[in-house]
């Protein structure tokens, strides 16, 4: 009986450690992706505030 309780506690601890590791890796990946997206946005050219009519086609209409 005591062996099964100890075995279950060890298994639960290992599962918790694996889950915590997975969450930490996911958070790190998301932080890296956010930083990469911010850098890509910085590289985009500035768009004029008012675009002259007839020069651009509105493809979203």
């Amino acid at each position: 009986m005591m062996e099964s309780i100890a075995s279950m506690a060890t298994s639960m601890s290992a599962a918790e450690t694996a889950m915590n590791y997975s969450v930490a890796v996911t958070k790190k990946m998301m932080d890296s992706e956010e930083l990469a997206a911010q850098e890509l946005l910085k590289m985009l050219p500035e768009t004029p505030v008012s675009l002259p009519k007839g020069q651009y086609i509105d493809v979203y209409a």
Side-chain angles (χ1 to χ4, degrees), residues 25-52:
V25 169
T26 302
K27 285 182 179 180
K28 182 66 175 175
M29 186 255 333
M30 290 172 68
D31 290 343
S32 297
E33 290 294 322
E34 180 183 9
L35 182 60
Q38 288 173 357
E39 293 300 317
L40 284 172
L41 286 173
K42 287 179 187 178
M43 290 192 287
L44 288 175
E46 293 288 326
T47 55
V49 176
S50 62
L51 301 173

Side-chain angles (χ1 to χ4, degrees), residues 5-29:
I5 293 173
S7 174
M8 189 171 83
T10 302
S11 296
M12 287 178 61
S13 177
E16 184 179 4
T17 301
M19 186 176 66
N20 288 340
Y21 176 79
S22 176
V23 169
V25 169
T26 302
K27 285 182 179 180
K28 182 66 175 175
M29 186 255 333

